[in-house]
């Protein structure tokens, strides 16, 4: 329950802070922007193989339709919607919205 409440708070702050004109994440910001144990469910463009989350984000950066990603076990699921369609807690998943504006000072 606590993880679900924390996820809800993060998603609300993300949706309020997004700049829809910015769809490219600076790779150096990935540690600040990644949501661990979060699956941006649905909204898939498709998936491509990726070595890690950084590789996944680079592939999304190269696709103008890609607005967010979910990475797990070598699969990079690119999404055409911010936060996918139905974000949810799912252990082992790593997700990132391409309009990440979170500060890196934590």
């Amino acid at each position: 329950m606590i993880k679900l409440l924390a996820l809800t708070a993060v998603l609300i702050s993300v949706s309020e802070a997004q700049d829809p004109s910015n769809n490219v994440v600076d790779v150096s910001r990935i540690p600040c922007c990644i949501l661990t144990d979060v699956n941006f469910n649905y909204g898939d463009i498709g998936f491509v193989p990726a070595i890690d989350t950084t590789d996944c984000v680079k592939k999304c950066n190269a696709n103008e339709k890609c607005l967010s990603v979910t990475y797990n076990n070598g699969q990079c699921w690119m999404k055409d919607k911010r936060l996918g369609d139905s974000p949810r807690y799912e252990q082992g998943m790593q997700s990132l919205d391409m309009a990440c504006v979170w500060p890196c000072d934590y």
Side-chain angles (χ1 to χ4, degrees), residues 1 3 27 32 38 54 61-62 65:
M1 182 66 165
K3 287 185 179 185
V27 175
C32 310
V38 175
T54 300
N61 278 342
K65 294 180 182 178

Side-chain angles (χ1 to χ4, degrees), residues 29-73:
R29 292 189 47 78
I30 291 173
C32 310
C33 299
I34 199 138
L35 296 174
T36 301
D37 294 336
V38 175
N39 182 1
F40 289 168
N41 220 22
Y42 306 114
D44 298 322
I45 296 170
F47 78 91
V48 294
I51 297 167
D52 56 20
T53 307
T54 300
D55 188 35
C56 182
V57 169
K58 287 178 181 178
K59 291 177 179 187
C60 185
N61 278 342
N63 183 329
E64 66 182 35
K65 294 180 182 178
C66 187
L67 301 178
S68 60
V69 297
T70 294
Y71 174 81
N72 188 37
N73 292 328

